[in-house]
Amino acid sequence: MKTQNLLLCGALAFALLLGCSKEEEPIVESSSTPPKYLYVSSGSCYSGSGNTAFTNATSSNLVYRVDLSTGQRNMILADYNASPSQPGDSPVGLVNIDSNQIYVVVENTTTAGARRIEKVSKSAFGTRSLFSNTTAALSAQLRGVEGLSNGDLLITKSTAIEKITSSNVRIVKGTSPFVNAPAAPCATSTTLISKTLTLNNGHIVYLHAATSQNRIGVINASGYSTAGDCLASKAAPIATAFPVAMTYDRINSNLIVAYSGNSTAVDVNSIYVYPVTETASSVTIGTGAKIYDSNLYPSTYNFLLYGVSDMVLDSTDNSLYVATAVNTSTTILNFAIEKLRYHPNSIGVDNTSVLTKSASTSFYNFGADTKCISDMMIAD
């Protein structure tokens, strides 16, 4: 009996131990990858000749970011309608600095000497500090900016391209801007340079929009000094298609260019992709393939792109974000941001399926903060 009692007590104790023990919780690993955002400047923009977009005075004039995973605005970084802004301020260009700051290029046609580049913190209505207001470099209408791998900046003006180092030193060619009035086949390119980017080899691609002068131009990475510094040029598909935006598929060496104009005629509001061959000293732009035409909406495409003002490619998942007018009115009422799927393997096979859209609504719909979309970038 004593032995039985001991065994019974032991069994009860073991049962109690099991009942009181806490089940081990699974270990949840935290991701070290920071979230990505679409940073947007909603300042004055260019949407092709014949389309009336928003001015410095009528634009939203905000810098904000949109969560790429939700399509919702995450925060406003800067409001150029309020202090410490100056009358006429309009943000037109963005460059990522690091995990804490971005550059914002501010155009101003109202206040003398107010054109400038600011550093803005990545926080709600973050700290803003002056980086550059070099009047010699920022002497004409500012339209955008391209950040270089060494921290320097290429500033897109209507008439030229300026280079400013990360130490705020203007780099000139002789006494002229870094890229100024290049000769043929890049000539004439002094009226409206709308966008600039750099290729993998560092050479500079720009878009020039002007009647009978609509073209893509490529300039040596060292700037323009002689005619040989114009490495390549490619005319727009038709005279009434004005190049307004571009992005570069660096993996496949495809230059994606958007054209805009004031009609839905063939090729006017269209997107072309150009194969690019790069060497250390040369660039060749191949024959373009048309991958979108508003003339084929809605018969072929289930999305409208008209009066495009900017676009950016997320190479991690081949998402192409395009800022477009919400209808075909030549007086643009508002902009939205479309998220398209980019299929590079379809180029030359089925060009109408290179860009597809599965969502029934815009990625970021029009509102008080989308007048215009002057620049977009993807960063943490």
Side-chain angles (χ1 to χ4, degrees):
M1 179 67 70
K2 183 176 181 180
T3 302
Q4 290 178 339
N5 288 339
L6 286 173
L7 289 173
L8 179 60
C9 289
L12 289 172
F14 183 67
L16 288 172
L17 179 63
L18 287 176
C20 295
S21 64
K22 184 177 181 181
E23 182 180 355
E24 184 178 355
E25 295 182 358
I27 298 174
V28 179
E29 295 183 1
S30 61
S31 173
S32 59
T33 304
K36 290 196 304 180
Y37 301 97
L38 182 69
Y39 287 78
V40 179
S41 61
S42 57
S44 59
C45 65
Y46 176 69
S47 291
S49 180
N51 290 323
T52 302
F54 297 89
T55 66
N56 289 29
T58 60
S59 293
S60 303
N61 295 324
L62 300 172
V63 174
Y64 56 92
R65 68 186 191 186
V66 178
D67 191 320
L68 288 182
S69 64
T70 65
Q72 299 297 311
R73 191 175 72 190
N74 172 263
M75 69 170 63
I76 296 175
L77 284 72
D79 182 355
Y80 286 89
N81 301 295
S83 179
S85 300
Q86 301 184 54
D89 278 356
S90 195
V92 297
L94 305 170
V95 167
N96 190 50
I97 300 176
D98 52 32
S99 60
N100 299 311
Q101 289 181 307
I102 64 173
Y103 286 117
V104 178
V105 174
V106 183
E107 165 60 2
N108 193 310
T109 57
T110 303
T111 305
R115 290 187 177 114
R116 64 194 184 277
I117 305 169
E118 292 185 344
K119 288 184 176 182
V120 178
S121 297
K122 291 180 177 178
S123 56
F125 300 98
T127 302
R128 291 161 47 185
S129 60
L130 178 66
F131 170 70
S132 178
N133 60 352
T134 306
T135 55
L138 310 180
S139 58
Q141 183 172 1
L142 307 179
R143 293 193 177 273
V145 61
E146 170 78 355
L148 304 183
S149 59
N150 64 355
D152 295 348
L153 301 175
L154 294 176
I155 310 299
T156 306
K157 305 192 298 188
S158 285
T159 57
I161 301 171
E162 297 279 357
K163 184 175 183 178
I164 297 177
T165 71
S166 58
S167 301
N168 190 24
V169 176
R170 184 193 185 207
I171 305 298
V172 295
K173 306 301 287 186
T175 59
S176 299
F178 194 66
V179 177
N180 183 65
C186 292
T188 300
S189 298
T190 56
T191 305
L192 199 162
I193 300 175
S194 56
K195 298 289 182 180
T196 304
L197 61 72
T198 53
L199 301 174
N200 294 328
N201 58 11
H203 295 315
I204 303 164
V205 183
Y206 69 87
L207 302 180
H208 186 262
T211 303
S212 302
Q213 299 168 3
N214 295 326
R215 66 169 53 85
I216 306 164
V218 184
I219 302 294
N220 194 294
S222 61
Y224 183 83
S225 296
T226 65
D229 290 325
C230 171
L231 303 180
S233 179
K234 179 71 69 173
I238 57 173
T240 52
F242 296 82
V244 291
M246 62 178 165
T247 188
Y248 194 42
D249 171 6
R250 298 183 182 278
I251 297 173
N252 299 291
S253 297
N254 288 327
L255 182 66
I256 307 169
V257 179
Y259 297 91
S260 294
N262 64 347
S263 81
T264 56
V266 174
D267 276 334
V268 176
N269 283 274
S270 60
I271 297 180
Y272 275 72
V273 58
Y274 300 89
V276 177
T277 302
E278 304 182 39
T279 71
S281 59
S282 68
V283 174
T284 302
I285 304 176
T287 302
K290 181 164 60 174
I291 59 174
Y292 181 81
D293 196 324
S294 67
N295 182 258
L296 297 177
Y297 168 80
S299 60
T300 301
Y301 298 99
N302 66 339
F303 55 93
L304 173 67
L305 302 178
Y306 179 93
V308 168
S309 60
D310 196 48
M311 61 182 178
V312 62
L313 176 67
D314 185 349
S315 60
T316 63
D317 63 359
N318 276 344
S319 293
L320 182 68
Y321 297 89
V322 184
T324 174
V326 295
N327 57 26
T328 59
S329 171
T330 57
T331 299
I332 294 176
L333 302 177
N334 212 325
F335 286 81
I337 301 173
E338 298 290 353
K339 179 181 179 179
L340 308 176
R341 183 72 175 175
Y342 165 64
H343 306 274
N345 291 336
S346 294
I347 298 171
V349 179
D350 181 4
N351 290 334
T352 61
S353 65
V354 175
L355 298 179
T356 59
K357 179 184 175 182
S358 57
S360 59
T361 58
S362 297
F363 171 73
Y364 193 76
N365 215 340
F366 66 91
D369 58 358
T370 56
K371 306 176 182 181
C372 296
I373 305 295
S374 51
D375 199 13
M376 298 185 292
M377 71 171 183
I378 295 171
D380 59 6

